[in-house]
Amino acid sequence: MRGRPELYTSYAQDMAFLNTRPKRVSTGALLVVALLLPFMITDDLLQLLATGYVAAIGAIGLNIVTGYAGQVSLGHAFFLAIGAYTGAALSGDPDGRVIGFGVTSLPVWVLASGLVAALAGVIVAPLAVRLRGLYLAIVTLGLVFLGDHVFREWTELTGGPGVGRPAAVPELLGVRLDKDGAFLTGAQKLYLVMFVLLVIFGVLARNLVRSRVGRAFAAVRDRDLAASVIGVDLTKYKVLAFAISSFYAGVAGALLFVPNGFFDPGSFSLLLSVQYIAMVLIGGAGTISGAIMGALFITLLPRITRELPAVLPFISGDATGTFTVFQLEAVLYGVLLIVFLIVEPRGLFGIWVRVRNYWRTWPFSY
Amino acid sequence: MAVVNPVLEVDAIRLAFDGVVAVDGVSFTVEPGELFAIIGPNGAGKTSIFNVLSGVYRPQQGSVRFHDQDLIGMRPHRIAALGMARTFQNIELFSHLTVVDNLMLGRHNHMRYGALSAFAWIGRARREELANRSAVEDVIDFLELEQWRRFPVGLLPYGVQKRVELGRALAMEPRLLLLDEPVAGMNVEETEDMARFVLDIREELGVAMVMVEHDMGLVMDLADRVMVMDFGKPIRTGTPREVQEDPDVIRAYLGEQHRTAGGVA
Ligand SMILES: Nc1ncnc2c1ncn2[C@@H]1O[C@H](COP(=O)(O)OP(=O)(O)O)[C@@H](O)[C@H]1O
Ligand SMILES: [Mg+2]
């Protein structure tokens, strides 16, 4: 069926993960580029991209509960924090200044962080069952304040504000992933590991959202009355969406500060939740690839604005000027959110769909 | 005639919303394979009866038995799992999802795999998805929806959306189908199509149905029995012919039709 790439000849083919040839080709090309990057760009850019990949895992999680299941959560920073402290404490130095248990194997603490955060999600979820819309957003916001307070006070775990603690220790089969080795630098290794993890968690999420469970999420989001009369248990699926979303947040939280090596309890403020909301909205709510694009975009944004003072002299590069890069960044978030909400509610993903459709009908596109 | 238990037994239900009595003392039974119609002017309480049956509202009095199960207090998704399906007077489709996904949602309870198999999408999840997709394809054939399969339903013409909603209910393979004004707002051609589908459902699938409808012609042509309602109360239940000749019915319902339709009944 080479001449008609979109002619499906069986349900199995129609429902396959990458169901058309163009999708397979473009995905393959992206994979190759991503795997070659560590040998082409500098370590500090690699570190930034690695952080972006981890943020993408977290954004996919928020997208599952907010984009797919329609439950607006401002509490993502709280679940990221739970993952971050679970991972850091589990893998931390037992003789160190802060709590540590010395379990440095990456798969072990990544999974554990996800599970602990998921458990927290299940405990919080009954709120989601009773509340909706703005009420839910405000209550989940409360979680962030609660967490912020606890993490600032609990210095044995977090090191306290302004001091912080080392991030999780990444070790795989006896190899330290954050230290330079014989063949690869620490940044290269971390980049590759984070990329592989993003691919794994991205594929799992894509499978989930096109399954019976993902359809039930969409049904709960779009019309809960209709969802219940066709047999969808609203309570069960709201709790499930929260649990899965929190699991992703936990995994992302545990990995997020590994490229940096250090983190502070002040990192988990409302701003972090808002950044993730921005990733989902700018990337396009309700798509996995959109969440990834949004996360990369938001992660790379500060890097781009930091280059600006060189080009635009009225912007100050440090915190002293009248108009600083930090202010610019905050303004940019706001402006971008508003622009995307008005012009392209489907976000970067929507723009990508337009570009794709343009080329699909080329040369007859206009 | 062999004694067969009715599919549905509604006994003396009463439903009030602080002050407004929507349904008052309504009783009826639906036999296997029967097409039971409910008619009555706007606000008579027809949709409220459906909401009681499907568990959306809980009546203050009375009982509902469905295949010998007591439905009062049962949550909607449990009632759906017992085999009750419905369509809505104002279409309640998932408008961002495609026709196929809407119908697949109708098969939610025919699949059993959970989130963990969903993540992996191998083995059980894949098998169940494929089997149910093929069942959905049967519904698409049955309702002649082939050309719309991949469209988000929100973009489809009104008449087609009504058909998709019927399809979603049929995909559930229900034992009882509740249709709330299936041809309201449709043109003549769409109405004829819908009538044909309702007949096909009865003949080929043998599903018992309760139909709320304003279109008197349709009700009189299709229904085995009709219940006429006014102000929440049943006035008369009988065959279409019996009901049409009842003086109370003519006063309450047909009279209203005469008034609102400008004398054309
Ligand atoms: N959720 C509700 N809250 C208050 N009153 C309602 C509600 N649903 C229905 N009613 C009232 O119940 C009566 C019957 O409504 P309904 O069952 O929709 O009538 P029908 O479907 O026969 O047109 C109407 O007076 C309506 O205003
Ligand atoms: Mg009604």
Side-chain angles (χ1 to χ4, degrees):
Chain A
M1 295 297 154
R2 301 240 324 263
R4 299 175 62 184
E6 292 195 25
L7 179 71
Y8 304 105
T9 49
S10 73
Y11 305 140
Q13 187 194 345
D14 181 10
M15 296 162 82
F17 186 73
L18 296 166
N19 53 7
T20 61
R21 215 178 119 84
K23 278 189 205 168
R24 283 192 292 273
V25 171
S26 53
T27 309
L30 267 180
L31 273 177
V32 170
V33 170
L35 289 173
L36 288 179
L37 269 184
F39 310 102
M40 293 155 63
I41 60 178
T42 58
D43 276 5
D44 69 319
L45 271 179
L46 282 180
Q47 188 185 336
L48 195 63
L49 277 173
T51 308
Y53 292 158
V54 176
I57 296 175
I60 290 172
L62 183 61
N63 208 4
I64 285 173
V65 77
T66 299
Y68 285 93
Q71 314 293 306
V72 179
S73 167
L74 284 176
H76 217 53
F78 175 73
F79 299 110
L80 286 161
I82 289 189
Y85 286 116
T86 307
L90 256 184
S91 63
D93 179 4
D95 307 318
R97 176 172 56 83
V98 284
I99 299 173
F101 296 97
V103 186
T104 52
S105 171
L106 180 131
V108 173
W109 56 254
V110 162
L111 260 183
S113 304
L115 289 175
V116 171
L119 188 67
V122 171
I123 294 169
V124 171
L127 290 173
V129 174
R130 287 193 186 80
L131 304 170
R132 49 169 98 188
L134 275 183
Y135 296 100
L136 179 61
I138 288 167
V139 170
T140 50
L141 173 63
L143 279 182
V144 176
F145 290 134
L146 184 82
D148 195 55
H149 180 73
V150 171
F151 294 128
R152 277 169 197 280
E153 295 297 316
W154 191 0
T155 49
E156 295 86 0
L157 175 69
T158 68
V163 185
R165 69 165 290 156
V169 180
E171 179 243 281
L172 189 63
L173 308 172
V175 178
R176 274 294 286 261
L177 299 169
D178 53 344
K179 300 262 159 64
D180 292 351
F183 304 105
L184 297 169
T185 66
Q188 285 173 324
K189 280 190 282 189
L190 278 181
Y191 171 94
L192 289 170
V193 167
M194 302 308 185
F195 180 70
V196 169
L197 286 172
L198 172 59
V199 170
I200 291 172
F201 283 105
V203 168
L204 292 179
R206 265 272 290 172
N207 282 342
L208 180 81
V209 298
R210 68 199 175 112
S211 75
R212 163 177 191 260
V213 178
R215 282 191 300 265
F217 286 166
V220 172
R221 172 194 67 197
D222 287 351
R223 279 180 193 270
D224 51 359
L225 172 66
S228 65
V229 302
I230 60 170
V232 175
D233 183 345
L234 300 181
T235 308
K236 174 178 160 187
Y237 281 94
K238 283 181 183 177
V239 172
L240 195 58
F242 252 92
I244 294 172
S245 159
S246 310
F247 180 87
Y248 271 73
V251 167
L255 295 165
L256 198 55
F257 301 97
V258 170
N260 249 331
F262 223 78
F263 67 113
D264 184 283
S267 312
F268 305 101
S269 65
L270 174 61
L271 181 66
L272 190 66
S273 284
V274 171
Q275 281 184 342
Y276 277 83
I277 298 266
M279 291 173 193
V280 169
L281 291 184
I282 290 176
T287 63
I288 300 298
S289 39
I292 297 174
M293 289 192 260
L296 290 178
F297 185 78
I298 294 287
T299 313
L300 295 176
L301 187 65
R303 176 64 183 238
I304 297 164
T305 52
R306 230 192 305 148
E307 304 294 334
L308 282 180
V311 195
L312 304 170
F314 62 89
I315 298 170
S316 153
D318 52 46
T320 55
T322 42
F323 191 58
T324 69
V325 278
F326 306 105
Q327 288 166 329
L328 177 71
E329 227 178 280
V331 170
L332 266 182
Y333 279 138
V335 170
L336 281 171
L337 269 183
I338 293 167
V339 166
F340 272 108
L341 283 180
I342 294 171
V343 181
E344 183 52 83
R346 289 179 305 167
L348 289 174
F349 182 79
I351 293 175
W352 148 245
V353 168
R354 282 196 208 173
V355 171
R356 192 184 64 190
N357 289 344
Y358 178 90
W359 288 111
R360 180 174 289 169
T361 50
W362 192 87
F364 302 109
S365 43
Y366 47 88
Chain B
M1 209 171 117
V3 182
V4 190
N5 282 350
V7 177
L8 182 74
E9 292 171 85
V10 176
D11 189 33
I13 51 171
R14 178 190 160 88
L15 173 76
F17 302 98
D18 39 33
V20 185
V21 180
V23 181
D24 192 8
V26 167
S27 307
F28 61 94
T29 58
V30 180
E31 306 296 328
E34 187 180 28
L35 203 171
F36 186 87
I38 304 177
I39 61 173
N42 268 328
K46 307 179 297 293
T47 299
S48 297
I49 293 179
F50 275 13
N51 283 331
V52 167
L53 296 183
S54 53
V56 178
Y57 295 152
R58 185 185 181 135
Q60 283 83 14
Q61 287 169 24
S63 75
V64 178
R65 295 187 73 74
F66 178 51
H67 281 283
D68 292 322
Q69 296 243 20
D70 186 3
L71 296 192
I72 303 294
M74 204 182 271
R75 292 200 294 158
H77 71 269
R78 296 265 306 111
I79 294 176
L82 292 178
M84 192 187 296
R86 76 179 274 194
T87 65
F88 293 83
Q89 183 173 345
N90 306 308
I91 301 168
E92 292 266 350
L93 283 168
F94 307 110
S95 48
H96 299 119
L97 306 187
T98 63
V99 171
V100 167
D101 279 341
N102 269 275
L103 299 191
M104 285 297 271
L105 266 162
R107 300 206 54 86
H108 184 77
N109 275 330
H110 290 268
M111 292 177 254
R112 297 253 69 101
Y113 72 89
L116 288 182
S117 342
F119 276 125
W121 194 264
I122 44 172
R124 185 159 175 205
R126 194 180 130 85
R127 237 181 3 256
E128 289 191 7
E129 284 287 326
L130 290 177
N132 283 282
R133 176 62 198 274
S134 127
V136 158
E137 245 5 88
D138 292 343
V139 175
I140 288 178
D141 276 351
F142 188 83
L143 295 178
E144 297 158 19
L145 288 167
E146 293 86 351
Q147 66 183 120
W148 312 108
R149 253 193 216 105
R150 295 182 184 290
F151 283 83
V153 293
L155 301 180
L156 301 180
Y158 177 81
V160 178
Q161 292 195 22
K162 280 265 192 200
R163 232 195 289 164
V164 175
E165 206 189 24
L166 175 62
R168 185 179 67 188
L170 282 182
M172 294 168 68
E173 292 180 29
R175 299 197 281 185
L176 177 67
L177 182 56
L178 312 178
L179 304 173
D180 199 347
E181 308 206 8
V183 303
M186 283 187 171
N187 62 32
V188 177
E189 197 187 329
E190 289 169 333
T191 303
E192 280 171 3
D193 282 343
M194 189 55 87
R196 185 162 51 83
F197 291 131
V198 170
L199 281 176
D200 285 350
I201 292 169
R202 186 157 67 154
E203 253 125 61
E204 293 179 29
L205 310 177
V207 180
M209 279 180 272
V210 182
M211 180 170 79
V212 163
E213 190 42 69
H214 267 302
D215 189 319
M216 284 298 278
L218 191 74
V219 170
M220 296 306 164
D221 285 348
L222 298 183
D224 296 310
R225 284 187 306 145
V226 182
M227 175 170 73
V228 185
M229 295 193 48
D230 199 13
F231 296 111
K233 294 194 172 68
I235 313 179
R236 176 75 205 258
T237 305
T239 63
R241 174 160 297 279
E242 288 166 356
V243 163
Q244 248 170 334
E245 289 165 356
D246 187 292
D248 287 340
V249 172
I250 293 169
R251 234 185 345 267
Y253 184 70
L254 299 178
E256 150 109 355
Q257 286 262 302
H258 277 291
R259 282 196 306 277
T260 54
V264 197

